[in-house]
Amino acid sequence: ITSKTLYADEARAAQARALEGLAKLRKATRQLAQQGQPVEAYKKLLELAAQWAGTPQEQELARDIAALEKDKTAKDAIAAYKRALEADRLWREASDLLDAKQTRKAELKVRLILRKFGDTPAGKRVRELYPEWAAEEDARKSGGGTG
């Protein structure tokens, strides 16, 4: 089998276009971060990394993601975004457990959200849905609760 076929030429041309497109997208995400939208840039980089998984460009994208996470102007916003994602993941798990009638396991997840992720949208939602557990966790936090 030879690489000098019409299909090989087409594949090489398509690969070049794809790499050009990736370079443009990476440049656009850098511009987003510089324009004060680091979370949007971070989301786009994560999407690109998922799309390019298993290719040599995956490592370049991982470096871009790590650099953005360490950037002084972006790291707090990205950390808050990651906390919100983790809280949402816990909330989905708790909801699934409640649907499966595993109340005790769900309660543990809900209380974890209240303790560690109370400042996230999921934490606020949980606080509204389970005010009694929220009050107990608040009491524990202030040192007045029983363990």
Side-chain angles (χ1 to χ4, degrees):
I1 298 178
T2 179
S3 64
K4 297 186 185 232
T5 66
L6 175 64
Y7 298 115
D9 291 341
E10 288 177 13
R12 278 190 288 280
Q15 181 183 23
R17 283 193 306 274
L19 290 173
E20 286 175 22
L22 176 62
K24 288 179 184 178
L25 289 171
R26 288 177 66 202
K27 183 179 179 182
T29 58
R30 282 192 290 274
Q31 288 175 343
L32 272 177
Q34 292 169 352
Q35 294 170 353
Q37 298 178 20
V39 173
E40 289 303 314
Y42 185 74
K43 288 178 187 178
K44 289 191 184 293
L45 284 173
L46 291 177
E47 288 175 20
L48 287 173
Q51 292 171 0
W52 287 79
T55 69
Q57 289 71 30
E58 180 181 22
Q59 292 178 343
E60 293 177 24
L61 290 165
R63 282 192 290 273
D64 289 348
I65 291 168
L68 190 56
E69 287 174 338
K70 292 177 185 174
D71 183 81
K72 289 180 182 179
T73 60
K75 69 179 179 182
D76 290 340
I78 291 172
Y81 172 71
K82 288 168 72 174
R83 282 177 46 77
L85 285 180
E86 178 65 13
D88 287 340
R89 183 190 63 78
L90 283 170
W91 172 242
R92 282 191 305 276
E93 289 176 12
S95 296
D96 291 346
L97 288 168
L98 286 169
D99 291 344
K101 306 288 188 230
Q102 297 181 16
T103 308
R104 180 65 185 144
K105 288 181 180 180
E107 179 182 348
L108 293 174
K109 300 250 183 214
V110 167
R111 288 181 182 273
L112 180 62
I113 294 169
L114 289 167
R115 278 193 306 274
K116 295 192 176 199
F117 303 102
D119 59 335
T120 64
K124 292 173 183 166
R125 186 178 330 116
V126 165
R127 186 168 285 282
E128 290 174 9
L129 291 172
Y130 302 99
E132 66 285 349
W133 291 345
E136 289 173 15
E137 289 302 321
D138 291 343
R140 282 184 184 168
K141 190 181 271 187
S142 65
T146 59

